[in-house]
Amino acid sequence: MKDNEVALKDGYEKEEQDLPAFEDLEGAARALMRLQDVYMLNVKGLARGVFQRVTGSAVTDLYSPRRLFSLTADDCFQVGKVAYDMGDYYHAIPWLEEAVSLFRGSYGEWKTEDEGSLEDALDHLAFAYFQAGNVSCALSLSREFLLYSPDNKRMARNVLKYEKLLAESPNQVVAEAVIQRPNVPHLQTRDTYEGLCQTLGSQPTHYQIPSLYCSYETNSSPFLLLQPVRKEVIHLEPYVVLYHDFVSDSEAQKIRGLAEPWLQRSVVASGEKQLPVEYRISKSAWLKDTVDPMLVTLDHRIAALTGLDVQPPYAEYLQVVNYGIGGHYEPHFDHATSPTSPLYRMKSGNRVATFMIYLSSVEAGGATAFIYANFSVPVVKNAALFWWNLHRSGEGDSDTLHAGCPVLVGDKWVANKWIHEYGQEFRRPCSSSPED
C-alpha cells in the first residue's frame, strides 16, 4: 500500500509540472481583460466565445470563430476574482455578474473542476458593488446569498450594514455608480493606441496616395537580381516599408523551431537593467547566426535589401518573439532614449533601423501600430517590416513610437533584427538636417 501511495504521489508531481500554475491563470485573466479594453469587447460575448465590439447600442462582430468555445461559470468567476483581488472593480463586476448569471442557470449541478460556486460569486460581486459605491446592489446580492447560506453571520452583518447605510442616505437606493476604467498603465497615448488596434491594420485609403507604391526591389544587389523582393511603401514620414514573402514557409517554421526551446519571458530596458514588465507580455529568444546556416543566409538577404552591415557588433543577434492570446507590447521606441541604456553596451551606437519579420499569421489582432504617425500594419505572414529609428543626424525619430497590439485570436511570431549606427557611416551617411 505504501509503495502505491509513493508511486501515485510521484506520478502526480510529475504531471503537476505540466499543469497551469496560478501565475498562468492570472496571466490568462489579465489577457482577457486587456482584450476587453483594447478592442472594446462585450463580456457576455467573450463568455460565449464570440468577439463583439460594443459602442453604445451598436454591436460589431470583430471576428467570427468557426467553432464556439464557451467559458463556464467558474471560468468567469476566476477572471473576476483576479480583478477583484487587484482592487479593480471596473473589470471584476462584469465578469462576476456573468459568473452569477451562469451559476444561477446551473444551480444544483456539481462539477468536479469548479473551484467557485454561486455563493462565492455572489459574495465577491456584492462587495465589489459596495466598494464601487452601489450599496443597493450590494444589499440585493447579499440577501440573495443568505437564501442559499442563511447561517452565514458575516453576510448577515453586511446586510445590516448596507440597510443602515441606505436608511441614512435614502437617495442611494437609486444611485448607480459609474465606475471609471483604471488608468493602468498610465498611457498618454492610450486612446490613439487602442483606436489604431481596433482598425486591425486596415488601410482603406492608401491606394489614393501616389507616393505610396509597390515595386520589385533589388537595391542594385546581385544577390537579389534574379529574385527581387516585392516592396510596398506603407508610409513616408517615418519611412516604413513592407517586404512581402521575405522568408518562405519552411524558413519561418525553422526559425520558430530553433527559438522555441530557448523562449523566456521578454524583458525591456529599465535604466541600466533589463526587467520583465506588464506592458510587454511575450516570450523571446536570441539566435546567433552560428546556430544554423540558414540564419547566415537570412543575414545576407537583409544586408542585400537594406544595404546595411548586419554583422555583429554592428547589429544584434536575431531576436525571436512569441505573443500568445492577449500578448502585446505597448507604445515604445526601439532606439535608446537614455544614455545609460543597456543598448550602448555593444559599443556600436544606437539602433538606427528595425527589420521585423512576421513568422506566422494571426486570425485577428496583433497589428503593429505607429502612434504619432497614426497608422497600423496588420500581420502579414512571411513579410518583413522595415523602418529607420534615427534621423541622419543621429537624433531619435519620435514618429517611430510604435506598439504591438494584443493578439485577439491566434499565435503571433516575429523575428527582429536591430541594426546599429556604427558600421553604417558610408552606407547611410550622416546629415545635419533634422528632416533627413
Side-chain angles (χ1 to χ4, degrees):
M1 186 66 179
K2 187 71 174 174
D3 290 343
N4 289 343
E5 287 179 8
V6 171
L8 180 63
K9 185 179 178 183
D10 289 345
Y12 175 76
E13 287 175 352
K14 187 177 179 181
E15 290 294 323
E16 192 178 29
Q17 294 173 3
D18 297 324
L19 295 175
F22 175 75
E23 183 184 10
D24 300 306
L25 168 66
E26 186 179 45
R30 284 172 178 260
L32 281 173
M33 290 183 262
R34 188 178 306 121
L35 295 176
Q36 175 191 343
D37 287 343
V38 172
Y39 296 107
M40 299 174 68
L41 297 179
N42 176 272
V43 169
K44 281 191 173 295
L46 274 175
R48 296 199 318 273
V50 297
F51 300 86
Q52 295 177 323
R53 180 189 301 150
V54 180
T55 47
S57 58
V59 178
T60 308
D61 285 329
L62 279 186
Y63 173 77
S64 299
R66 288 183 290 274
R67 288 180 61 194
L68 293 182
F69 293 93
S70 300
L71 297 177
T72 66
D74 191 60
D75 292 334
C76 294
F77 172 68
Q78 297 299 337
V79 175
K81 189 173 181 300
V82 167
Y84 176 95
D85 289 342
M86 295 190 298
D88 175 7
Y89 304 113
Y90 173 87
H91 290 105
I93 287 173
W95 284 102
L96 291 171
E97 278 184 334
E98 188 62 19
V100 165
S101 175
L102 293 171
F103 272 129
R104 282 174 181 151
S106 61
Y107 191 73
E109 297 177 17
W110 184 67
K111 296 178 181 176
T112 54
E113 67 271 20
D114 284 359
E115 293 182 19
S117 64
L118 175 57
E119 290 90 328
D120 291 326
L122 286 168
D123 187 5
H124 284 76
L125 182 57
F127 190 72
Y129 265 123
F130 171 68
Q131 288 292 92
N134 195 329
V135 181
S136 56
C137 269
L139 175 60
S140 175
L141 292 161
S142 300
R143 284 172 173 167
E144 183 180 350
F145 177 97
L146 289 174
L147 294 176
Y148 300 103
S149 185
D151 297 329
N152 190 298
K153 293 179 181 178
R154 177 180 58 82
M155 190 59 75
R157 287 195 299 271
N158 284 351
V159 166
L160 292 174
K161 180 172 77 171
Y162 300 153
E163 288 174 339
K164 184 180 178 183
L165 286 170
L166 289 173
E168 292 170 353
S169 306
N171 61 322
Q172 289 220 34
V173 174
V174 292
E176 195 168 316
V178 178
I179 311 165
Q180 295 295 323
R181 175 180 163 190
N183 188 23
V184 178
H186 299 274
L187 274 179
Q188 293 179 338
T189 57
R190 187 173 73 179
D191 291 344
T192 305
Y193 158 59
E194 292 179 355
L196 288 169
C197 288
Q198 288 163 20
T199 68
L200 302 179
S202 64
Q203 298 155 9
T205 61
H206 268 204
Y207 71 94
Q208 300 171 1
I209 306 171
S211 54
L212 303 180
Y213 62 91
C214 296
S215 65
Y216 283 100
E217 181 66 64
T218 65
N219 197 28
S220 302
S221 168
F223 193 83
L224 299 172
L225 202 57
L226 296 178
Q227 192 174 4
V229 178
R230 290 191 298 144
K231 170 184 173 181
E232 179 184 354
V233 179
I234 300 288
H235 207 267
L236 295 179
E237 293 182 7
Y239 182 73
V240 179
V241 295
L242 187 70
Y243 296 110
H244 292 264
D245 297 316
F246 180 76
V247 292
S248 65
D249 284 340
S250 60
E251 286 173 327
Q253 186 175 358
K254 184 156 195 177
I255 294 169
R256 295 198 306 266
L258 290 170
E260 198 158 8
W262 307 102
L263 290 174
Q264 293 183 341
R265 171 77 186 267
S266 295
V267 295
V268 300
S270 177
E272 297 182 20
K273 297 181 180 179
Q274 302 252 357
L275 300 171
V277 287
E278 192 61 28
Y279 62 80
R280 186 186 191 188
I281 302 296
S282 62
K283 291 184 176 182
S284 58
W286 297 88
L287 295 180
K288 294 183 178 182
D289 56 8
T290 53
V291 169
D292 192 277
M294 188 267 290
L295 298 180
V296 177
T297 304
L298 191 70
D299 277 352
H300 288 162
R301 198 179 305 157
I302 295 172
L305 196 54
T306 62
L308 300 174
D309 190 338
V310 300
Q311 295 304 307
Y314 306 127
E316 296 171 42
Y317 296 123
L318 193 71
Q319 186 199 49
V320 181
V321 189
N322 175 224
Y323 299 87
I325 301 296
H328 72 138
Y329 195 172
E330 284 176 357
H332 64 282
F333 294 108
D334 280 357
H335 62 274
T337 56
S338 164
T340 59
S341 169
L343 294 181
Y344 289 114
R345 289 177 190 162
M346 289 178 67
K347 301 190 183 303
S348 55
N350 209 339
R351 287 172 173 170
V352 69
T354 294
F355 198 94
M356 183 172 71
I357 308 166
Y358 294 115
L359 301 174
S360 69
S361 58
V362 296
E363 293 179 68
T368 304
F370 287 81
I371 311 304
Y372 294 144
N374 198 32
F375 72 96
S376 60
V377 185
V379 174
V380 181
K381 187 183 180 187
N382 296 345
L385 201 62
F386 172 82
W387 67 88
W388 298 106
N389 293 307
L390 306 180
H391 292 294
R392 287 182 182 269
S393 63
E395 293 296 313
D397 185 347
S398 60
D399 285 338
T400 62
L401 183 74
H402 64 284
C405 296
V407 175
L408 189 57
V409 185
D411 196 25
K412 176 183 171 184
W413 288 81
V414 300
N416 296 308
K417 191 73 173 180
W418 283 303
I419 305 159
H420 284 239
E421 292 176 278
Y422 298 177
Q424 322 305 338
E425 293 86 348
F426 299 105
R427 298 166 186 267
R428 192 195 189 220
C430 296
S431 167
S432 57
S433 172
E435 283 80 30
D436 290 347

